[in-house]
Every structure is written in C-alpha cells, then in structure tokens.
Amino acid sequence: MDDRLERFLRIKLREAGKKYAEARESADRQIGEAKDAYKNAHDVTLADLPQDERGRAKIVCRRYAERRAVTLDAEGRPACFDPEHPDCEGCVEDIRERTVETW
C-alpha cells in the first residue's frame, strides 16, 4: 500500500474514532440527564398536594370514593395504601403523575 494512502486512512480512522467517542460521551450524558429528570418528575412530596391544617395530603380515595386526609411515606404512598388492591395501586400512580383527585 502506498505510504500516502496508508497515512490518509490512519488520519481519517483516528478522526472517526474521536468523533465516535465524543458522540458516545454525549449520549451517555444525555441518558443520565433523562434518567435524573424522570426520577425527579416522579418524586412526589407532600408539598405537591393540597394539605389540611395538620399537614396531611387531601386526596379522594379511589377505593372507597371518599375524601381523606393522609400522610405520605417516603415513596409517596398514602398511609391507607394496600399493595394488593388495584385501586390503591392506581391511586399511587395518580399521586406520582400529579393527577390524583384532591379537595
């Protein structure tokens, strides 16, 4: 192979490798930022919901269709949460999506 062609190919391959590494670093950073944004969007605190005078969240229970003032645990679940009941699971999803019915 001609020395000039070999040198040209080596330079072009090195440039392509650098561009690939830059693109990979950028993609990894963007994926990390998207994961952080998703996590932050789904972290619900009591401050995100209306509260009564005692600082409890004022929600409408999906299971019993009644107004309730409840505390939330660290995972954003109300104190009355039953992990085996589909209405309770739906309520937690609504709280996380900030679409829960409140009063």
Side-chain angles (χ1 to χ4, degrees), residues 46-86:
L46 191 57
D48 296 326
L49 301 170
Q51 299 174 28
D52 69 358
E53 64 281 349
R54 292 177 46 196
R56 299 176 298 179
K58 295 170 25 175
I59 65 171
V60 176
C61 175
R62 286 181 64 169
R63 185 173 184 178
Y64 297 106
E66 64 185 14
R67 292 178 177 182
R68 290 194 177 181
V70 296
T71 57
L72 299 180
D73 67 9
E75 296 178 25
R77 298 178 303 199
C80 56
F81 176 71
D82 177 0
E84 296 180 7
H85 199 281

Side-chain angles (χ1 to χ4, degrees), residues 8-66:
F8 173 77
L9 289 175
R10 198 172 335 159
I11 290 170
K12 292 301 178 183
L13 286 173
R14 191 174 300 128
E15 288 174 4
K18 286 179 184 179
K19 287 186 180 193
Y20 172 78
E22 290 170 2
R24 181 65 188 233
E25 288 173 11
S26 175
D28 289 344
R29 185 180 63 254
Q30 290 174 2
I31 288 170
E33 290 171 359
K35 285 180 181 179
D36 290 343
Y38 178 84
K39 181 183 179 298
N40 291 337
H42 289 82
D43 284 347
V44 177
T45 64
L46 191 57
D48 296 326
L49 301 170
Q51 299 174 28
D52 69 358
E53 64 281 349
R54 292 177 46 196
R56 299 176 298 179
K58 295 170 25 175
I59 65 171
V60 176
C61 175
R62 286 181 64 169
R63 185 173 184 178
Y64 297 106
E66 64 185 14

